């Protein structure tokens, strides 16, 4: 069974990483109507560039239009939908029924995908969307594997099923939360969530202002709404058996490094599952080497549970440099991201390459003079790698104990 790997692209750098590291499709937002207001997002010209880059490599582009627009925004939608259709986008992702209808009218060539924000949790609603013209439904993250399999079995086969397999999760049902809007004025349904579910809360009694009483879980933990991240890399064969057509990685607001490493890990997991062979532990380990919260399998196999001890990210690795070009002998021109020096131990990772550790030799600056430590952000320098590596390969180092 063929299955699509769908990766996030918050800006052009992250898009290039996702495509280079193995995505079959990417999803992104333009400058309006997307659910990640603080990702880089794409201007109209950048959107055309992104589509051209992806299509030249056989990768599809899905554009999010999944906010819940207000009256004063609706008049802008037809022009926006016509623009993304003219740019050559493959599909548009929507949660609002009015936007869905407008897309059918103003961008009839685009496939219409129903966002997870619409809360598709059963086969009847999936059928209803299909009857209205939907090409795909993106399932609510609250469904179990058995529910997804039943939904697939009871819906038309031409209706594609997309499901999240990796990334941040929301404490609210399918992301429909008012807490951010209430506390900060930033509307989660308009792409601006401040994630107040990650805050540490205390209880204050009305007649005792200024007295704060801690809110505890059973072992003294206080982060009662802090959701774990989802990680389903160990269960790709089960997802394929359930009939999922597209595996979605969350993370348009996350780094280019995240887009590269997580896409690469799931690329190998999908390829292994399709070949009927076990996933190498090398690629399973990669999902631990990006910034993440404590993992769970989401709702796929039962309740994920909250992580109540703290809301911090686990950040054990740091990108030091990006490979700009590399000669056949492994001599590479790199661009600095974070400081390191001769003698440090780094890992080289790249598209299709297993990570390899090496000790940094003496480098050379742009003029060919010996260089012990590149210091200026984005500066170019030359470094001998342990073997040749394609452009957009990365050098990273461990910054904490495993």
């Amino acid at each position: 069974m063929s299955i699509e790997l769908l990766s996030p692209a918050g800006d052009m750098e992250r898009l290039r990483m996702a495509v280079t590291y193995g995505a079959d499709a990417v999803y992104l937002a333009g400058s309006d109507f997307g659910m990640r207001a603080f990702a880089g997002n794409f201007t109209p010209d950048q959107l055309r560039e992104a589509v051209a880059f992806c299509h030249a490599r056989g990768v599809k582009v899905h554009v999010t239009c999944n906010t819940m627009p207000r009256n004063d925004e609706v008049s802008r939608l037809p022009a926006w939908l016509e623009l993304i259709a003219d740019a050559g986008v493959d599909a548009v992702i929507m949660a609002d029924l009015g936007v869905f209808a407008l897309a059918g009218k103003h961008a009839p060539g685009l496939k219409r995908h129903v966002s997870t924000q619409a809360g598709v949790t059963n086969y009847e609603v999936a059928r209803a969307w299909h009857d209205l013209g939907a090409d795909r439904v993106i399932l609510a993250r609250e469904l179990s594997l058995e529910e997804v399999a039943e939904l697939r079995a009871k819906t038309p086969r031409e209706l594609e099923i997309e499901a999240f397999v990796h990334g941040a999760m929301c404490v609210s049902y399918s992301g429909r939360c008012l807490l951010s809007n209430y506390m900060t004025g930033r509307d989660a349904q308009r792409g601006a969530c401040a994630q107040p579910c990650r805050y540490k809360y205390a209880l204050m009694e009305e007649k005792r202002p200024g007295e704060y009483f801690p809110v505890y879980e059973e072992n003294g933990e206080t982060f009662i709404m802090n959701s774990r991240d989802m990680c389903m890399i160990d269960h790709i064969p089960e997802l394929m058996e359930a009939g999922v057509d597209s595996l979605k990685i969350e993370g348009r607001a996350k780094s280019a490094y995240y887009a590269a490493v997580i896409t690469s890990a799931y690329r190998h997991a999908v390829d292994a599952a399709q070949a009927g062979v076990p996933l190498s532990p090398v690629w399973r380990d990669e999902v631990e080497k990006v910034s993440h919260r404590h993992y769970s399998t989401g709702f796929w196999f039962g309740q994920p549970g909250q992580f109540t001890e703290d809301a911090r990210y686990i950040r054990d690795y740091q990108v030091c440099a990006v490979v700009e070009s590399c000669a056949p002998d492994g001599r590479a021109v790199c661009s600095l991201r974070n400081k390191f020096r001769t003698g440090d131990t780094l890992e080289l990772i790249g598209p299709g390459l297993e990570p390899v550790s090496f000790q940094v030799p003496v480098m050379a600056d742009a003029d060919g003079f010996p260089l012990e430590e590149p210091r200026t952000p984005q500066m170019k320098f030359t470094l001998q790698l342990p073997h040749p590596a394609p452009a957009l390969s990365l050098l990273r180092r461990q910054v904490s104990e495993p």
Side-chain angles (χ1 to χ4, degrees):
M1 171 187 172
S2 177
I3 195 166
E4 177 185 85
L5 179 60
L6 177 58
S7 293
D11 59 19
M12 198 64 195
E13 180 189 18
R14 285 171 271 187
L15 180 141
R16 290 192 180 98
M17 285 293 187
V19 172
T20 301
Y21 280 78
D24 297 310
V26 295
Y27 65 102
L28 54 87
S31 51
D32 223 345
F33 303 113
M35 283 295 291
R36 291 292 181 271
F38 304 110
N41 296 330
F42 291 74
T43 66
D45 287 343
Q46 289 170 335
L47 181 59
R48 294 179 188 279
E49 180 187 356
V51 170
F53 179 87
C54 289
H55 285 181
R57 292 157 179 82
V59 174
K60 294 182 178 179
V61 178
H62 306 171
V63 169
T64 62
C65 193
N66 56 345
T67 58
M68 302 300 186
R70 304 292 178 85
N71 286 335
D72 60 350
E73 299 173 298
V74 169
S75 62
R76 302 202 312 272
L77 274 163
W80 172 242
L81 290 164
E82 290 168 4
L83 185 152
I84 63 176
D86 185 65
V89 167
D90 297 284
V92 60
I93 302 169
M94 298 156 291
D96 182 271
L97 182 57
V99 178
F100 185 89
L102 286 171
K105 179 180 179 180
H106 293 278
L110 288 181
K111 290 186 178 296
R112 289 184 287 177
H113 295 180
V114 178
S115 172
T116 189
Q117 299 296 120
V120 174
T121 57
N122 63 74
Y123 55 82
E124 285 293 353
V125 71
R127 286 174 180 169
W129 278 112
H130 176 258
D131 290 343
L132 290 170
D135 297 282
R136 177 182 294 190
V137 290
I138 305 165
L139 301 181
R141 277 174 261 201
E142 292 77 21
L143 295 182
S144 68
L145 185 67
E146 291 78 9
E147 289 174 310
V148 171
E150 182 179 7
L151 186 149
R152 170 72 287 172
K154 294 181 177 179
T155 52
R157 192 61 192 90
E158 61 269 21
L159 176 66
E160 296 177 350
I161 302 296
E162 179 179 312
F164 281 91
V165 294
H166 194 93
M169 295 183 67
C170 179
V171 69
S172 296
Y173 203 90
S174 294
R176 290 176 286 191
C177 179
L178 292 176
L179 195 58
S180 177
N181 202 349
Y182 179 79
M183 294 182 67
T184 69
R186 287 168 47 177
D187 191 344
Q189 301 310 310
R190 297 155 75 81
C193 184
Q195 296 195 337
C197 55
R198 311 292 183 181
Y199 298 172
K200 183 176 181 179
Y201 288 92
L203 178 69
M204 187 178 73
E205 198 271 327
E206 181 181 4
K207 296 180 180 179
R208 300 179 187 179
E211 292 187 44
Y212 298 96
F213 302 93
V215 179
Y216 289 128
E217 281 284 329
E218 52 189 66
N219 295 314
E221 303 96 338
T222 59
F223 293 83
I224 59 174
M225 293 188 287
N226 182 51
S227 295
R228 297 173 185 266
D229 282 1
M230 182 194 296
C231 178
M232 284 290 288
I233 196 167
D234 298 316
H235 302 284
I236 303 304
E238 292 101 307
L239 299 175
M240 294 173 64
E241 180 67 23
V244 176
D245 296 290
S246 179
L247 306 179
K248 189 169 196 171
I249 297 169
E250 184 275 338
R252 277 190 291 129
K254 295 183 179 177
S255 68
Y257 171 66
Y258 172 97
V261 170
I262 298 300
T263 298
S264 178
Y266 278 85
R267 175 77 273 154
H268 286 88
V270 169
D271 290 349
Q274 290 179 328
V277 299
L279 176 63
S280 167
V282 168
W283 305 113
R284 175 59 182 81
D285 289 346
E286 284 295 284
V287 299
E288 305 292 343
K289 296 181 178 182
V290 299
S291 176
H292 66 281
R293 295 185 175 92
H294 292 266
Y295 283 133
S296 74
T297 52
F299 289 87
W300 287 101
F301 301 105
Q303 294 288 328
Q306 305 299 94
F307 188 78
T308 54
E309 293 179 21
D310 59 62
R312 294 193 299 270
Y313 282 96
I314 300 168
R315 293 186 173 98
D316 293 338
Y317 285 79
Q318 180 182 73
V319 176
C320 296
V322 178
V323 174
E324 302 279 340
S325 62
C326 186
D329 64 356
R331 192 75 173 167
V333 175
C334 300
S335 174
L336 183 68
R337 293 298 183 270
N338 286 286
K339 289 182 180 180
F340 68 99
R341 61 177 298 110
T342 297
D344 287 350
T345 298
L346 300 185
E347 280 188 350
L348 168 65
I349 63 172
L353 303 177
E354 290 195 5
V356 59
S357 295
F358 69 104
Q359 192 171 47
V360 178
V362 174
M363 295 161 275
D365 65 16
D367 297 317
F369 293 105
L371 179 68
E372 294 282 337
E373 181 180 2
R375 294 177 178 271
T376 306
Q378 308 291 325
M379 75 171 287
K380 302 290 195 300
F381 59 94
T382 304
L383 168 65
Q384 180 65 50
L385 300 177
H387 57 65
L392 297 185
S393 294
L394 301 168
L395 302 178
R396 70 184 177 199
R397 66 176 177 180
Q398 191 170 336
V399 292
S400 66
E401 292 300 318

